[in-house]
């Protein structure tokens, strides 16, 4: 299906790898991007008619500091900050070159880079966050200290005083953020979502209304005139573990294969999607078959974001 994109005039895709695991404790998620590429993602997009370039960012370990103590409850703050600040610049550059930016993670702390970069190029963009988790804990509210659970608090300006993340600008208005697929949300996050009137749809809402209505509700809230650029950040743990088992924080009762793909297809159909993240694929977890299935799903989600449809 050929989709006329209202913001992108070229058929160029910049795949940006963020092979990084510092935002959470499970090693292996840093291999997610290369496994997706080795599975043939770039070739698949080229077969769809896109010009594709790929930045692997294999040198991110060189940014690791000699010492990185916990600061304000957050683990590895210097490493996460250095990596995400570097990649944010790359993403901004690619987005400003009229390219669709497809970022492959890595853990979801990488959203500090993706959202900062995309919103620097499209300041009036909106964000759809597909995830089992809200990832909007503040340094004060996080129980684990893992930064992959906190990026949205920095990006929305709810957290502003952490010394290592002073570079992160509050680019995302809470009225431009919507969630689909939530089912494991901390009490402090529930409070944040309610107090800031953030459109947050859980699996209960997906069951109640169906995925099509949920996508429409989110778009009506954050993009009512369908005239703003859309950035999709998709954590594969939004999918049920039976669909995407190889991820660090799986939670039963998630999106089906079709529901996950429908979100990507529907957003592509708007002609407004300018960037997508596929995050938290961890091929080191579960069996080789599970890893293969999860990588396969990650690739097919990405293709749907760029216009692949059932007919």
């Amino acid at each position: 299906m050929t989709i006329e994109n209202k913001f992108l005039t070229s058929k160029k895709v910049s795949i940006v790898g963020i092979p990084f695991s510092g935002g959470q404790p499970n090693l292996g998620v840093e291999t997610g991007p290369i496994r997706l590429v080795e599975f043939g993602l770039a070739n698949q997009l080229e077969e769809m008619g896109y010009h594709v370039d790929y930045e692997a960012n294999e040198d991110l370990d060189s940014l690791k500091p000699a010492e990185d103590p916990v600061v304000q409850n957050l683990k590895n703050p210097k490493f996460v900050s250095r990596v995400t600040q570097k990649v944010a610049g790359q993403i901004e550059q690619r987005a400003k070159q009229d390219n669709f930016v497809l970022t492959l993670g890595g853990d979801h702390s990488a959203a500090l880079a993706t959202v900062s970069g995309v919103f620097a190029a499209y300041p009036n963009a909106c964000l759809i966050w597909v995830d089992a988790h809200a990832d909007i804990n503040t340094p004060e509210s996080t129980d684990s200290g893992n930064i992959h659970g906190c990026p949205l608090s920095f990006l929305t300006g709810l957290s502003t005083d952490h010394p290592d993340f002073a570079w992160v600008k509050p680019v995302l208005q809470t009225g431009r953020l919507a969630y689909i697929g939530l089912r494991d949300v901390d009490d402090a996050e529930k409070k944040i979502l309610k107090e800031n009137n953030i459109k947050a749809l859980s699996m209960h809402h997906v069951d109640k209304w169906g995925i099509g209505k949920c996508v429409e509700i989110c778009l009506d809230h954050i993009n009512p005139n369908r005239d703003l650029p859309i950035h999709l950040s998709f954590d594969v743990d939004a999918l049920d573990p039976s669909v995407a088992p190889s991820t660090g924080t799986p939670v039963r009762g998630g999106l089906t294969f079709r529901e996950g793909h429908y979100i990507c297809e529907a957003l592509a159909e708007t002609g407004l999607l300018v960037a997508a993240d596929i995050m938290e694929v961890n091929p080191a977890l579960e069996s080789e078959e599970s890893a293969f299935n999860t990588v396969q799903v990650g690739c097919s989600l990405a293709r749907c974001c760029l216009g692949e449809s059932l007919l």
Side-chain angles (χ1 to χ4, degrees):
M1 177 173 61
T2 305
I3 292 165
E4 203 64 45
N5 194 295
K6 297 179 176 74
F7 296 101
L8 304 174
T9 56
S10 77
K11 291 272 288 182
K12 293 180 183 166
V13 179
S14 286
I15 299 178
V16 178
I18 309 185
F20 180 67
S21 63
Q24 50 79 66
N26 291 307
L27 289 175
V29 73
E30 71 283 353
T31 66
I34 193 65
R35 286 289 295 274
L36 289 162
V37 170
E38 285 172 353
F39 192 76
L41 178 56
N43 297 339
Q44 293 161 21
L45 297 179
E46 283 168 352
E47 285 171 7
M48 292 170 62
Y50 289 96
H51 303 283
V52 181
D53 61 72
Y54 171 49
E55 287 177 274
N57 282 319
E58 289 163 341
D59 58 345
L60 295 181
D61 273 349
S62 66
L63 299 172
K64 191 166 191 170
E67 291 186 2
D68 199 358
V70 170
V71 176
Q72 291 184 19
N73 290 335
L74 298 188
K75 298 169 183 171
N76 308 320
K78 286 183 173 46
F79 192 20
V80 173
S81 177
R82 288 178 185 181
V83 165
T84 51
Q85 187 171 14
K86 174 183 188 277
V87 181
Q90 285 177 353
I91 290 171
E92 176 183 352
Q93 192 181 15
R94 295 292 168 260
K96 286 180 173 175
Q97 288 169 347
D98 198 31
N99 297 359
F100 185 100
V101 182
L102 175 61
T103 305
L104 309 177
D107 74 64
H108 223 158
S109 68
L112 290 163
T114 66
V115 177
S116 294
V118 170
F119 278 64
Y122 300 98
N124 65 337
C126 57
L127 178 66
I128 291 191
W129 192 272
V130 180
D131 202 321
H133 310 91
D135 294 353
I136 200 166
N137 267 306
T138 63
E140 298 76 37
S141 72
T142 174
D143 287 332
S144 69
N146 297 324
I147 299 175
H148 75 159
C150 303
L152 286 168
S153 72
F154 291 106
L155 292 159
T156 54
L158 294 168
S159 301
T160 55
D161 62 352
H162 194 288
D164 291 301
F165 296 99
W167 68 269
V168 181
K169 296 184 177 69
V171 292
L172 176 62
Q173 300 169 30
T174 52
R176 294 265 176 86
L177 166 64
Y179 290 94
I180 300 175
L182 295 175
R183 59 192 186 280
D184 184 15
V185 182
D186 297 341
D187 287 341
E189 292 180 302
K190 289 177 185 174
K191 190 162 179 276
I192 289 169
L193 296 176
K194 284 198 179 83
E195 286 175 353
N196 292 280
N197 193 30
I198 294 169
K199 184 56 70 179
L201 301 188
S202 71
M203 287 308 302
H204 171 81
H205 298 105
V206 175
D207 293 339
K208 184 176 179 180
W209 293 322
I211 196 63
K213 179 94 182 284
C214 287
V215 172
E216 289 301 306
I217 288 168
C218 287
L219 288 174
D220 286 344
H221 187 81
I222 64 176
N223 201 342
N225 301 318
R226 306 297 194 269
D227 57 354
L228 304 176
I230 299 171
H231 177 184
L232 168 65
S233 199
F234 199 121
D235 185 324
V236 297
D237 75 21
L239 300 166
D240 191 77
S242 62
V243 179
S246 294
T247 189
T249 44
V251 188
R252 287 195 306 175
L255 297 168
T256 65
F257 181 91
R258 275 301 314 145
E259 287 166 343
H261 285 74
Y262 178 86
I263 294 167
C264 299
E265 290 165 8
L267 295 181
E269 279 176 4
T270 65
L272 303 169
L273 193 63
V274 295
D277 314 333
I278 306 293
M279 296 288 168
E280 298 275 1
V281 173
N282 189 338
L285 298 176
E286 305 300 322
S287 67
E288 186 55 42
E289 183 188 5
S290 295
F292 175 83
N293 290 340
T294 309
V295 167
Q296 191 176 35
V297 166
C299 288
S300 61
L301 292 171
R303 294 195 306 274
C304 287
C305 288
L306 286 149
E308 182 174 89
S309 61
L310 292 173
L311 288 176

